[in-house]
């Protein structure tokens, strides 16, 4: 069963995008959002705000890939994170 919905950001000072437009497409994404919102080592995060342009090899058209999460840690590290079930990584 797929879970979808809007996420209400608790700590809006940490959210790097528009905190009124945060949505999740799976229970795993929802769980990660709750974790990022509460984690003291996370100083900033956003969901589906980082867009990577690419040209598709099959249709030759320009597309945008939306990265699931962009995370900034308190040690300065910046992460791009994809949330996928194992069967979709093969």
């Amino acid at each position: 069963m797929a879970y979808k919905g809007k996420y209400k950001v608790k700590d809006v000072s940490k959210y790097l995008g528009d905190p009124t437009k945060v949505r999740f497409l799976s229970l795993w994404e929802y769980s990660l959002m709750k974790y990022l919102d509460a984690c003291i080592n996370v100083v900033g995060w956003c969901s589906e705000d980082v867009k990577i342009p690419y040209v598709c090899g099959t249709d030759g058209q320009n597309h945008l890939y939306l990265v699931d999460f962009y995370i900034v840690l308190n040690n300065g590290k910046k992460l791009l994170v994809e949330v996928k079930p194992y069967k979709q990584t093969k």
Side-chain angles (χ1 to χ4, degrees):
M1 176 173 205
Y3 292 87
K4 296 179 185 179
K6 291 190 80 169
Y7 179 76
K8 184 173 173 29
V9 177
K10 309 282 185 280
D11 187 352
V12 294
S13 68
K14 287 177 28 173
Y15 195 75
L16 302 174
D18 183 346
T20 65
K21 296 182 179 178
V22 184
R23 63 187 180 106
F24 57 91
L25 301 175
S26 71
L27 188 56
W28 288 354
E29 286 184 0
Y30 175 76
S31 297
L32 182 56
M33 289 174 180
K34 283 178 38 176
Y35 174 80
L36 296 172
D37 220 0
C39 182
I40 61 172
N41 294 322
V42 174
V43 295
W45 68 280
C46 60
S47 174
E48 295 188 339
D49 281 354
V50 174
K51 298 169 180 71
I52 299 174
Y54 69 97
V55 176
C56 182
T58 57
D59 66 13
Q61 299 293 316
N62 294 324
H63 295 272
L64 286 177
Y65 184 81
L66 300 174
V67 178
D68 287 343
F69 292 92
Y70 173 65
I71 303 166
V72 181
L73 302 176
N74 62 0
N75 64 3
K77 287 188 180 181
K78 297 173 183 174
L79 308 171
L80 295 176
V81 175
E82 282 295 309
V83 177
K84 301 281 182 260
Y86 178 73
K87 66 182 179 181
Q88 290 182 14
T89 65
K90 294 180 183 181

